[in-house]
Amino acid sequence: MKCGKIVCVGQNYRAHIKELKSEVPQEPVLFLKPSSALIADGDTIIVPPNLGRVDYEVELAVIIGKRCKNVSAAEALSYVGSVAVFNDVTARDVQSVARKAGLPWSLAKGMDTFAPISAALPIANVKELQDLHLELKLNGEIRQNGNTSMMIFPVVEIISYSSRYMTLEPGDIIATGTPEGVGAIKDGDVIEAKIDGIGKMRNPVKVMH
Ligand code: MG
């Protein structure tokens, strides 16, 4: 199934909002990443030169199985085909400069290789979407350790909200936000991200000079 778009939710975990010194949103904060940024488990995250700080962000991703438009939260789950582990790689310095200037930060999120995703698991194999343990290790050390129960907007609300404004097509990916513990990556790093019962992936980092 081809991915047409990646809908991402920013600031969906309180502790992460705090570490970004941001404020708790009243509605889901949506942004898009292009599907050209997707890479798979084992692929290398390639960081262009002179970007400054670039961060990892482990997230639960859901992949749409059936076209949906204007669905309620109660029916949202029936439109999900599968789930996966996602890394919302972010050029943090580029994003911060844009945010301060009130400009879009698409570039900071949308570069090639900035969307690693694991193999997908059919939704039927998931017991409880809102009680999944997420973990990210940088060079073998645990850096992010969270649970989807800590989301401000649960998955079904994100799907319902998005579908009011954007038709979600089969293959579209929804990345549901990252817990606290985001941090910078550098050349030669290895990132291992996993969600218990869902999957895992490992991506080395190459920073270009
Ligand atoms: Mg994110």
Side-chain angles (χ1 to χ4, degrees):
M1 213 168 2
K2 203 175 172 337
C3 170
K5 58 182 170 297
I6 308 168
V7 179
C8 300
V9 183
Q11 308 179 12
N12 201 24
Y13 288 81
R14 270 169 222 283
H16 173 59
I17 293 171
K18 218 169 171 185
E19 74 185 351
L20 287 186
K21 297 184 176 66
S22 204
E23 278 175 23
V24 177
Q26 299 301 304
E27 291 188 328
V29 177
L30 301 185
F31 62 91
L32 298 173
K33 274 168 110 91
S35 54
S36 48
L38 286 168
I39 57 171
D41 176 25
D43 291 346
T44 302
I45 297 168
I46 298 169
V47 179
N50 307 315
L51 280 192
R53 177 173 160 173
V54 176
D55 285 5
Y56 52 78
E57 293 187 357
V58 65
E59 307 195 1
L60 168 70
V62 298
I63 302 158
I64 298 297
K66 260 191 319 194
R67 185 173 193 271
C68 71
K69 170 77 185 166
N70 230 348
V71 295
S72 68
E75 59 189 346
L77 218 48
S78 67
Y79 293 89
V80 174
S82 56
V83 298
V85 185
F86 188 81
N87 186 353
D88 176 20
V89 180
T90 304
R92 191 71 70 201
D93 285 350
V94 175
Q95 184 193 32
S96 299
V97 168
R99 280 176 71 154
K100 267 184 211 138
L103 294 168
W105 28 273
S106 305
L107 183 64
K109 294 282 192 177
M111 298 184 198
D112 288 348
T113 77
F114 277 23
I117 191 164
S118 73
L121 179 79
I123 185 76
N125 299 349
V126 183
K127 279 197 195 86
E128 173 51 66
L129 263 189
Q130 298 303 148
D131 186 17
L132 296 171
H133 175 244
L134 308 110
E135 184 188 278
L136 184 138
K137 281 185 189 170
L138 186 68
N139 304 323
E141 257 179 53
I142 295 182
R143 296 297 180 89
Q144 287 190 279
N145 195 353
N147 192 288
T148 57
S149 62
M150 306 299 283
M151 284 183 190
I152 296 170
F153 301 103
V155 173
V156 292
E157 279 185 34
I158 296 167
I159 293 170
S160 173
Y161 181 84
S162 310
S163 79
R164 255 187 256 165
Y165 307 102
M166 288 182 245
T167 301
L168 300 171
E169 309 274 6
D172 284 356
I173 295 166
I174 300 184
T176 58
T178 196
E180 75 273 26
V182 301
I185 54 176
K186 59 180 192 319
D187 189 47
D189 281 350
V190 174
I191 302 171
E192 289 163 282
K194 71 166 182 175
I195 302 177
D196 291 350
I198 302 295
K200 59 180 181 173
M201 64 177 166
R202 183 181 182 278
N203 300 98
V205 176
K206 174 80 195 150
V207 179
M208 306 309 288
H209 297 288

